[in-house]
Amino acid sequence: MDLELSESELAFQAEARAWLAANVPAEPLPSMDTAEGWALHQEWEARLAADRWSVVSWPRDYHGRDASLIEWVIFEEEYYRAGAPGRVSQNGIFLLAPIIFEHGTKDQQDRFLPTMATGEEIWAQCWSEPEAGSDLASLNSTARRDDGRGGWVLNGQKTWSSRATYATWGFGLFRSDPEAARHHGLTYFLFPLDADGVTVRPIAQLDGEAGFAEVFFDDVFVPDADVLGAPGDGWRVAMSTAGNERGLSLRSPGRFCAAADRLVDLYRSSAVEVRGAPAPSLETSDVGKNVVDAWLKAEAYRLYTWGTVTRLADGGEMGAAGSVNKVWWSELDIALHETALDLLGTDAELDSTWLDGYTFALSGPIYAGTNEIQRNIIAERILGLPREPKGAQR
């Protein structure tokens, strides 16, 4: 692993840093889980796209910069270091787009990628069902063939669909062959959330905002042109998405390193400037040790990611290592925010940044495949341990 950047990479870093310094809003945007915040986050996506910073690793024909994987990591680090807004388009850009590039038709790439890059169309991930969360293969939503109209008819229910409250398009798996084995007979569909037969019902979170929604399908017609990959091959396509979600793309290390730096700043200021009391010892106090531990783990994740990038650049694959990433960053996110709340004490109720971050971090071990499932994958596919007995996960 080479941590020395080349001259061109340093130039890319300097350009990104300068653009972010000139364009990042001075004040945090309102929550994207509100109508006002959603609109402002879409405007931010458009601003990024106008100067080709929304999807740096994509081809130039789709608003990208043809940036390398290393340059993508550099940009992510600079993005979060600058305190830039969260990405309302992340489901589309980081989860769906990679498999549209890999499995989509040229028509699908031309129709969906440009508006995804500019934030005109925001995508919701519609995977989980009431009886099929991390056990994705047990889903019950169906797709029935309609040869007369040249497409499929969807029925069923999805739940905990991120961004579905305000998003315009969704993507998800449906069982298109009820006679096939669990992981077969599934098909991957793209569908507008305002189509006839689609009902979106927002789900209020702890803070009252609707970052998730239930989506109901009642005889929703989807043309063949909006099937991603081959009919019946949805599981293989979906696993491409899962690898992206658990691996590099959903949670880049820059996010956690920036939070760790803010935590150190909070430690320095909370005891001395706010409370006027001596700072808790880094060596002897639990909260001081937790500050150091969280910072070290964020830096470890950064270095591990650079190792992964090097391996991928040399032709390697992510594979089951994405599960290691997922467990690490989801638990790190909670630790970072819990330590901040410990430092703030009762003042935490007045600090929406850390409190909001904490409530979101609590969902980390659940979404993108629960950490229990990820530990099984690590045990079986990386460590070579025996498979868990059937039914033990229930």
Side-chain angles (χ1 to χ4, degrees):
M1 179 173 66
D2 184 3
L3 295 177
E4 295 291 329
L5 300 182
S6 67
E7 288 189 9
S8 64
E9 289 163 349
L10 287 170
F12 177 88
Q13 181 185 53
E15 183 181 1
R17 187 174 294 175
W19 189 90
L20 290 164
N23 288 277
V24 169
E27 298 293 331
L29 299 183
S31 168
M32 66 180 76
D33 295 335
T34 64
E36 178 194 10
W38 185 271
L40 292 173
H41 277 82
Q42 279 193 284
E43 289 179 13
W44 170 246
E45 294 293 333
R47 189 189 303 179
L48 284 168
D51 289 326
R52 296 182 179 276
W53 290 111
S54 67
V55 286
V56 296
S57 61
W58 290 15
R60 289 187 172 274
D61 288 347
Y62 299 120
H63 295 282
R65 288 174 171 254
D66 285 321
S68 68
L69 188 55
I70 290 175
E71 289 172 329
W72 175 78
V73 176
I74 291 171
F75 176 72
E76 289 287 299
E77 289 185 349
E78 295 301 324
Y79 189 89
Y80 286 103
R81 186 177 291 126
R87 303 295 302 274
V88 70
S89 60
Q90 69 175 19
N91 284 340
I93 290 174
F94 299 134
L95 304 183
L96 177 60
I99 61 171
I100 288 183
F101 278 118
E102 182 177 352
H103 300 280
T105 64
K106 181 65 166 59
D107 173 69
Q108 288 172 334
Q109 293 170 358
D110 290 344
R111 278 197 295 145
F112 297 127
L113 294 176
T115 53
M116 189 186 296
T118 60
E120 295 172 69
E121 302 284 4
I122 304 294
W123 291 75
Q125 185 188 43
C126 300
W127 273 17
S128 296
E129 296 188 4
E131 301 298 328
S134 293
D135 187 12
L136 185 62
S138 65
L139 59 84
N140 292 311
S141 292
T142 62
R144 185 182 73 253
R145 182 65 193 163
D146 185 336
D147 288 325
R149 288 188 287 175
W152 301 79
V153 177
L154 308 184
N155 280 283
Q157 177 188 356
K158 303 291 183 178
T159 192
W160 303 117
S161 298
S162 305
R163 311 282 176 251
T165 301
Y166 300 108
T168 46
W169 280 77
F171 56 95
L173 279 178
F174 291 75
R175 189 165 298 285
S176 53
D177 183 355
E179 304 300 324
R182 275 165 39 96
H183 296 82
H184 301 279
L186 301 173
T187 299
Y188 205 116
F189 292 95
L190 312 175
F191 40 83
L193 291 174
D194 62 352
D196 289 342
V198 173
T199 300
V200 177
R201 184 181 300 168
I203 300 174
Q205 304 171 110
L206 283 173
D207 57 9
E209 297 174 355
F212 303 93
E214 296 175 287
V215 184
F216 298 87
F217 299 83
D218 184 11
D219 288 337
V220 177
F221 178 73
V222 177
D224 289 331
D226 292 343
V227 173
L228 186 54
D233 195 31
W235 182 259
R236 187 173 67 90
V237 177
M239 289 305 98
S240 298
T241 309
N244 290 315
E245 186 173 24
R246 296 164 188 163
L248 291 177
S249 59
L250 183 64
R251 294 289 177 261
S252 60
R255 172 192 177 109
F256 304 104
C257 288
D261 288 342
R262 288 198 296 117
L263 179 64
V264 172
D265 290 341
L266 179 67
Y267 166 79
R268 288 171 172 157
S269 64
S270 62
V272 176
E273 297 180 7
V274 176
R275 300 179 189 174
S281 169
L282 289 175
E283 296 180 350
T284 59
S285 72
D286 288 341
V287 69
K289 291 177 182 177
N290 289 341
V291 170
V292 175
D293 190 57
W295 187 91
L296 286 173
K297 286 180 176 176
E299 188 65 18
Y301 181 47
R302 175 176 179 268
L303 295 174
Y304 180 81
T305 299
W306 277 103
T308 301
V309 167
T310 301
R311 187 175 74 252
L312 295 177
D314 291 339
E317 297 180 352
M318 173 63 73
S323 295
V324 178
N325 277 16
K326 200 274 174 173
V327 172
W328 187 266
W329 60 246
S330 60
E331 295 187 349
L332 169 61
D333 205 18
I334 292 176
L336 279 165
H337 288 85
E338 279 185 339
T339 304
L341 297 187
D342 287 342
L343 280 168
L344 288 166
T346 55
D347 291 344
E349 296 183 23
L350 305 176
D351 188 308
S352 60
T353 300
W354 286 109
L355 190 58
D356 290 349
Y358 176 66
T359 55
F360 183 80
L362 291 176
S363 64
I366 300 173
Y367 68 81
T370 66
N371 282 9
E372 287 79 6
I373 294 293
Q374 304 316 308
R375 286 191 165 88
N376 274 359
I377 294 173
I378 294 167
E380 295 167 8
R381 302 183 191 175
I382 296 179
L383 302 179
L385 299 179
R387 291 183 64 83
E388 187 176 30
K390 189 175 182 180
Q393 297 171 17
R394 303 286 182 182

